[in-house]
Amino acid sequence: MTKSDIIISWPQHLDYPLWRQFIHSNRDKFAKVIVVFTQMNAGKDYRPWLQEQFNKDGIISITNDQVLAHEDWRNVAVNKGLELSDARWVWFTEQDFFPRGDLWTVADSLSEAFNVFGYFQEDRLHPCCIFIKRTL
């Protein structure tokens, strides 16, 4: 599998140091890392500090459009991030998902056989780990 883009929605009032370290340690495995900050109307806005940290690893960060009451905030953020993505594959993940084992070897083999794959929780693909061909 060629390098995928990562798109992740990020509440602007939170920091995820372990996820930032995970990306830093694995940055060479991805094309673009796109963080879409979302206003959750809670707490302090950490975007300026986080953007400084992200810049060190070439992470693109943007602010999500305003999310209306009837909209799904994650869906709005994902679609905003897709505007910047151009890789063949996109990995949607969450900040508390840390792959065990060799996810990259598995991803390489599955990418030849499927258009989408990820972590199943009961009967659904969980948004913590979904790889999908950009064309879909």
Side-chain angles (χ1 to χ4, degrees):
M1 182 163 87
T2 59
K3 291 182 181 182
S4 63
D5 285 344
I6 295 176
I7 298 177
I8 191 163
S9 53
W10 192 296
Q12 67 190 38
H13 69 283
L14 295 173
D15 181 25
Y16 299 93
L18 294 177
W19 190 86
R20 286 189 292 104
Q21 181 60 51
F22 168 76
I23 293 300
H24 176 77
S25 298
N26 293 280
R27 184 63 184 93
D28 63 321
K29 292 178 173 51
F30 311 108
K32 294 179 182 173
V33 178
I34 303 165
V35 170
V36 184
F37 287 115
T38 300
Q39 170 62 265
M40 305 299 282
N41 296 311
K44 183 174 172 66
D45 182 353
Y46 290 110
R47 282 178 298 175
W49 183 82
L50 286 166
Q51 287 168 325
E52 284 181 33
Q53 306 310 305
F54 293 158
N55 288 341
K56 296 173 186 175
D57 286 315
I59 296 171
I60 300 166
S61 60
I62 59 174
T63 299
N64 199 9
D65 295 332
Q66 182 178 3
V67 179
L68 303 175
H70 69 279
E71 295 178 308
D72 178 292
W73 63 272
R74 186 191 313 256
N75 185 54
V76 174
V78 162
N79 282 289
K80 182 85 171 177
L82 281 169
E83 294 173 8
L84 300 174
S85 173
D86 55 10
R88 182 169 179 234
W89 282 89
V90 179
W91 181 31
F92 300 107
T93 189
E94 295 178 338
Q95 293 90 339
D96 60 353
F97 178 76
F98 298 101
R100 292 191 313 210
D102 194 356
L103 175 66
W104 319 123
T105 301
V106 172
D108 281 342
S109 63
L110 291 176
S111 69
E112 297 301 318
F114 298 97
N115 292 322
V116 61
F117 58 92
Y119 174 73
F120 269 89
Q121 180 185 41
E122 297 171 6
D123 62 347
R124 72 174 180 131
L125 269 173
H126 194 288
C128 71
C129 183
I130 299 174
F131 286 87
I132 187 166
K133 283 187 180 171
R134 186 165 166 43
T135 56
L136 293 177

